[in-house]
Amino acid sequence: VAELMQVQEKLTLTHGRRRRKVAIGIHDAKHVAFPLKYAAYSGRELSFTPLGCDYQMNLNEILRDHAKGKEYAWTLQGFSRFPVITDANDAVVSFPPIINGTMTTVTDATQDLFLDVTGTDFEACNVALNILCQNYADDGSRIESVTVHSRGANLVCPEPRQEKMILDCRDCNKILGLELTKKEIVNCLAKQRIDAEDAGGRSVAAFIPRYRSD
C-alpha cells in the first residue's frame, strides 16, 4: 500500500504539476457503487468525512482546515464551485484534486482497486492512468476499463492506443555519429520497449506506448 501511494504522489507531483494538471485517487473498489457522477458543488453544499478525519466537513472547511486542503487549496483558487465524485448512493468518493473520502480507504485487505484520474488535460490524464495500469499489469493485476459519459459522447478509459512516430534513419545516424541499419535501429528501439518497423525509404515507424510520456 505504501509503494502504491508513493507512485501516485510522484506522478501527481511531477507529471501532474502538483495536482494542478493531473490528480489521482486510489480507492477500494468494493465500497464503490457504480455508476459514478462527476459534478461541481458550492463550498457549503456538500459534506463528507475526508481521509484523516473521523467527522464530516464541507468543501470550504476542508480547503480551510484539513492538512491536504490547506496544501492544495491553491489548485482551486478563483472557483466558486468545486469538483466532487459521488457514487450511485450519493456517497462522496473523492474531492479532487484535494482528498478522498474515508468510505473507499485502501487497506492491506483491499483486493480490487478503482482509480480516478482527473485534470485539465485529457492526454496528461490518460498517460498517468496508463502508467499506473502498466505498473499493476506488470505485477500481475487484471486491468478493466470504464466508460465515461460526457457531453453526449462515450469515452472508454484507459485509452491505450499507441502513438505512431516516423524516424528518419539518416538524421538518427547523423545525431548519434553512427551508421546503424534499419534493422539495427528497430532492434535498439525494441530494447527500449518501443515496437518499430520499416516504413520504406529511409524511415522507420516507431509505435510509442501510451505510458511513455517522454
Side-chain angles (χ1 to χ4, degrees):
V1 175
E3 180 182 346
L4 178 69
M5 299 308 171
Q6 185 180 45
V7 172
Q8 173 200 13
E9 286 298 323
K10 292 297 185 183
L11 270 176
T12 54
L13 177 65
T14 56
H15 178 73
R17 303 294 188 268
R18 289 190 63 219
R19 302 192 187 184
R20 185 61 184 265
K21 190 175 183 179
V22 176
I24 300 168
I26 303 179
H27 311 271
D28 188 329
K30 182 175 67 174
H31 303 295
V32 180
F34 293 91
L36 302 180
K37 182 173 70 172
Y38 181 63
Y41 299 85
S42 65
R44 296 181 179 179
E45 191 175 353
L46 204 61
S47 295
F48 69 101
T49 304
L51 284 176
C53 292
D54 56 6
Y55 54 90
Q56 291 200 343
M57 306 171 73
N58 65 35
L59 306 184
N60 282 341
E61 291 169 337
I62 291 173
L63 293 174
R64 185 185 67 229
D65 301 326
H66 193 283
K68 289 296 183 182
K70 289 187 285 187
E71 183 178 359
Y72 293 106
W74 65 276
T75 61
L76 298 176
Q77 191 172 8
F79 292 97
S80 60
R81 297 172 69 81
F82 309 117
V84 175
I85 300 174
T86 55
D87 73 359
N89 298 321
D90 294 326
V92 173
V93 174
S94 179
F95 171 22
I98 308 300
I99 193 74
N100 291 342
T102 57
M103 179 183 73
T104 59
T105 301
V106 174
T107 69
D108 290 339
T110 299
Q111 294 183 338
D112 299 300
L113 296 172
F114 170 69
L115 309 179
D116 81 74
V117 182
T118 58
T120 57
D121 180 274
F122 171 77
E123 182 57 27
C125 290
N126 190 52
V127 167
L129 180 57
N130 274 281
I131 289 172
L132 288 171
C133 288
Q134 185 64 44
N135 191 35
Y136 299 144
D138 287 345
D139 285 338
S141 298
R142 183 181 67 187
I143 308 301
E144 298 183 3
S145 62
V146 298
T147 301
V148 179
H149 307 285
S150 177
R151 300 175 182 175
N154 296 331
L155 183 65
V156 177
C157 297
E159 203 289 282
R161 178 176 48 84
Q162 295 176 319
E163 175 188 0
K164 182 178 180 180
M165 184 180 293
I166 300 299
L167 174 66
D168 187 305
C169 297
R170 187 174 64 180
D171 289 344
C172 174
N173 281 320
K174 182 179 179 181
I175 292 171
L176 297 176
L178 300 174
E179 295 182 0
L180 299 173
T181 65
K182 280 188 180 182
K183 183 176 181 180
E184 289 172 327
I185 290 175
V186 168
N187 289 338
C188 286
L189 287 169
K191 293 178 181 179
Q192 297 297 318
R193 301 179 72 179
I194 296 175
D195 294 332
E197 62 184 26
D198 190 328
R202 63 190 194 199
S203 299
V204 163
F207 301 93
I208 318 299
R210 290 301 279 273
Y211 59 81
R212 289 292 297 271
S213 62
D214 57 343

